[in-house]
Every structure is written in structure tokens, then in C-alpha cells.
């Protein structure tokens, strides 16, 4: 008898719809700002997607991406514009902010279009850094040389 | 996972500075001049000598 009464009372609760997440609101637009200290590449421009290289891995950002703060590593940023074209830049380092309203701010320490970089110069710097590694004694010096090697490897990889 | 440079005692600021100079060094000559001018530090560090 008591079980039936309990069931009757709980039925009204069960009839309510249960949601675990809210549907994302917003217009499906992404406002993108991308700048280095010397050059502004995008200023609150609407774009479809941005691929970024972060310290924790590379990921693509679409409208309604979960808000996040990340730091960048040397790598290629690809911007997919609303008209379908894609532009690539090489960034050295910096930060990326994705806000709740889907606006994205990418502030780079140095950022250049890929065609401004010289693969031969990057390869030469890479070899020089690798030979420096052999003579590095201190752990801090070794880490600094390794950062240089990683950055040049990323440039070579981006240009090939 | 701690980054190797963090473990060696370097900060992200230092990491960023090294990466930036590596990227500047790999620019094509016509863009390099401009970038080097910008990268030049306008801060001079003066450490006064301690008096005996």
C-alpha cells in the first residue's frame, strides 16, 4: 500500500523533463581578435573556426566553444573565414582566451604570415642550436637551448 | 605533466622570449630588419655598485 502511494507521488516528479546541460545560446557567431604587439591581424572579425597550438595540445575553436584560457607554443594558427578561405600564421607564443559569449582573443608575442618565414634560415638555426646542446652544461642552459630547438623544429615543420 | 623548462626553473615569460627570438631569427631578410628594430629592448638595466 505504501509503495503504491510512493509511486503515485513520484510519478509527478518523473514526468518533468530532466536536462543535464543547457542548449548553447548565441547567434553561432564567433568574434575573433588576433594581434601581436606590432600588428593587428583580426579585430573582432566574425570567423568560422580557429585552430591554435597550445602547450597542452592543438585544438580547433568553433562558436560556442567552452570558455578557456590557454598559453601558446610555437606553431601554426589557421583561421577559417566566413567565406570558406583559410589563412595561416606562425605564432611564437602568447595566450588565447575563449569567453562565454564565444569571443576569442589570441594575443601573440610574435606572429607572422607563413610566407614571411625562411625555411633555410630556420634549418640553419636548428642545426646551430643542436650543436649548442652538446656543449650545454647547466640544466637551465640546456632547457633554453631545447626551447630554441623546439621552436625552430616547429618553424621547419610549418613551412614544409 | 610539468614542462621540461618549468622543471629546469624557467618561467613561461622566458620561454616566450626565446621562442619569439627564434621566430624573428627565421624571418626572411626584408622582414627581419623591421622585426629586429621592434625587438630591441628600450630598457637599460643599471645596477649601482654597493658602497664598501
Amino acid at each position: 500500500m505504501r509503495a503504491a502511494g510512493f509511486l503515485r507521488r513520484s510519478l509527478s516528479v518523473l514526468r518533468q523533463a530532466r536536462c543535464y546541460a543547457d542548449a548553447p545560446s548565441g547567434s553561432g557567431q564567433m568574434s575573433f581578435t588576433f594581434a601581436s604587439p606590432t600588428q593587428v591581424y583580426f579585430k573582432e572579425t566574425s570567423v568560422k573556426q580557429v585552430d591554435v597550438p597550445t602547450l597542452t595540445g592543438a585544438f580547433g575553436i568553433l562558436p560556442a566553444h567552452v570558455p578557456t584560457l590557454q598559453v601558446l607554443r610555437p606553431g601554426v594558427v589557421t583561421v577559417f573565414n566566413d567565406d570558406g578561405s583559410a589563412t595561416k600564421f606562425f605564432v611564437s607564443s602568447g595566450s588565447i582566451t575563449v569567453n562565454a559569449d564565444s569571443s576569442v582573443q589570441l594575443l601573440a608575442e610574435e606572429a607572422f604570415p607563413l610566407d614571411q618565414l625562411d625555411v633555410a634560415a630556420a634549418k640553419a638555426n636548428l642545426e646551430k642550436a643542436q650543436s649548442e646542446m652538446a656543449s650545454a652544461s647547466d640544466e637551465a642552459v640546456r632547457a633554453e637551448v631545447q626551447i630554441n630547438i623546439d621552436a625552430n623544429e616547429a618553424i621547419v615543420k610549418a613551412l614544409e | 605533466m610539468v614542462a621540461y623548462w618549468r622543471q629546469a626553473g624557467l618561467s613561461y615569460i622566458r620561454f616566450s622570449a626565446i621562442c619569439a627570438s627564434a621566430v624573428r631569427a627565421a624571418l626572411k631578410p626584408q622582414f627581419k630588419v623591421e622585426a629586429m628594430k621592434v625587438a630591441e629592448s628600450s630598457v637599460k638595466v643599471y645596477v649601482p655598485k654597493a658602497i664598501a
Side-chain angles (χ1 to χ4, degrees), chain A residues 43-139:
Chain A
K43 186 174 171 202
E44 291 172 354
T45 320
S46 169
V47 297
K48 269 208 283 230
Q49 180 180 336
V50 185
D51 289 346
V52 294
T54 69
L55 273 188
T56 47
F59 62 93
I61 303 172
L62 292 158
H65 192 280
V66 63
T68 182
L69 299 174
Q70 301 281 352
V71 282
L72 304 172
R73 55 148 32 122
V76 177
V77 166
T78 314
V79 183
F80 296 87
N81 304 304
D82 277 346
D83 63 8
S85 62
T87 359
K88 291 192 182 187
F89 302 89
F90 192 88
V91 300
S92 70
S93 45
S95 72
I96 180 139
T97 309
V98 182
N99 302 111
D101 63 359
S102 278
S103 61
V104 177
Q105 289 88 33
L106 201 166
L107 305 175
E109 172 113 29
E110 291 285 0
F112 303 102
L114 284 185
D115 56 17
Q116 290 188 12
L117 290 170
D118 185 5
V119 67
K123 282 188 176 154
N125 292 335
L126 177 58
E127 276 170 24
K128 201 167 83 165
Q130 280 166 338
S131 62
E132 263 175 39
M133 190 57 148
S135 56
S137 51
D138 190 10
E139 198 190 342

Side-chain angles (χ1 to χ4, degrees), chain A residues 38 55 71-72 74 90 92-94 109-110 112 115-118 122 125 139 143-144 146-148 150-151 155, chain B residues 4-5 7-8 10 12-20 22-29 31-32 35 38-39:
Chain A
T38 50
L55 273 188
V71 282
L72 304 172
F90 192 88
S92 70
S93 45
E109 172 113 29
E110 291 285 0
F112 303 102
D115 56 17
Q116 290 188 12
L117 290 170
D118 185 5
N125 292 335
E139 198 190 342
E144 292 198 358
Q146 186 62 48
I147 295 172
N148 203 346
D150 289 345
I155 300 173
Chain B
Y4 62 87
W5 42 266
Q7 248 176 336
L10 298 176
Y12 181 78
I13 300 280
R14 185 79 191 110
F15 171 86
S16 184
I18 297 172
C19 290
V23 173
R24 279 192 291 269
L27 282 172
K28 290 187 176 151
F31 304 106
K32 200 184 262 200
V38 172

